[in-house]
Amino acid sequence: MDFTHLDDSRKPRMVDVSGKKPTERIATAECYVHLGLELIDRLNKNDWSSSKGPIFETAIIAGTLAAKKTADLIPFCHPLPLKDVKIDISQSDESKIRISARVKVLDQTGVEMEALTAVSVAALTIYDMCKSISHSISIESCRLVSKSGGKSDFRE
């Protein structure tokens, strides 16, 4: 299989999806942010707020905006009329949080990049809001969990 974003002369290009039938396409991505025990404990005591505001709510808004702006950030992504973006953030264990995004569109191309962009920017927002307390925060395992509605479905 060849890379779809290269033409026959190996020059970069946007994929032409004009011949595809619009279908409902859904993608889910996830990302983990390792905050550490001390920071998690501190944030739990402060109801997950910092001097910059409510951390999870701000990250959800940032991730949603990022999903809508993906075509402005990734050169060959098509601008898409997203129908739904759902972001969930929860503590996954004693030192990490999990961010998941589910993105839906009715279009000729998928929304994997929108879901991945949403969790990435939500994670970066959490980092930004917590960096005054700790710089040992790490963003880990950003990945596509599932996609459906296109030529081939995927589920990890």
Side-chain angles (χ1 to χ4, degrees):
M1 178 184 271
D2 291 325
F3 290 105
T4 58
H5 289 87
L6 296 175
D7 67 15
D8 293 337
S9 61
R10 315 253 335 132
K11 290 184 182 157
R13 67 173 174 114
M14 181 181 268
V15 174
D16 181 0
V17 296
S18 61
K20 293 183 177 183
K21 178 184 173 194
T23 59
E24 180 181 79
R25 295 160 186 260
I26 300 170
T28 303
E30 72 178 7
C31 183
Y32 290 86
V33 181
H34 184 271
L35 296 170
L37 297 171
E38 193 175 313
L39 182 52
I40 290 261
D41 185 51
R42 187 169 176 175
L43 291 169
N44 275 323
K45 289 177 182 171
N46 289 331
D47 198 28
W48 287 89
S49 285
S50 75
S51 60
K52 293 183 176 185
I55 295 168
F56 284 5
E57 290 83 353
T58 304
I60 289 168
I61 293 166
T64 302
L65 179 60
K68 293 166 37 175
K69 293 289 198 176
T70 300
D72 293 335
L73 300 169
I74 310 295
F76 298 124
C77 284
H78 295 83
L80 296 174
L82 302 182
K83 302 302 179 198
D84 190 30
V85 177
K86 286 190 172 56
I87 298 176
D88 180 64
I89 304 173
S90 59
Q91 191 171 338
S92 70
D93 68 25
E94 59 190 16
S95 63
K96 288 184 191 175
I97 59 169
R98 177 181 181 267
I99 304 165
S100 68
R102 181 179 177 273
V103 181
K104 184 183 346 180
V105 71
L106 177 61
D107 212 294
Q108 297 156 296
T109 190
V111 287
E112 301 96 277
M113 294 308 300
E114 287 73 9
L116 287 162
T117 301
V119 296
S120 297
V121 170
L124 289 169
T125 301
I126 290 168
Y127 186 100
D128 179 56
M129 295 186 78
C130 296
K131 70 183 180 201
S132 65
I133 298 169
S134 172
H135 285 291
S136 60
I137 300 164
S138 63
I139 298 170
E140 307 167 353
S141 189
C142 180
R143 66 190 182 100
L144 181 68
V145 175
S146 65
K147 76 175 198 82
S148 64
K151 183 170 39 173
S152 60
D153 290 348
F154 167 80
R155 179 132 193 104
E156 189 165 272

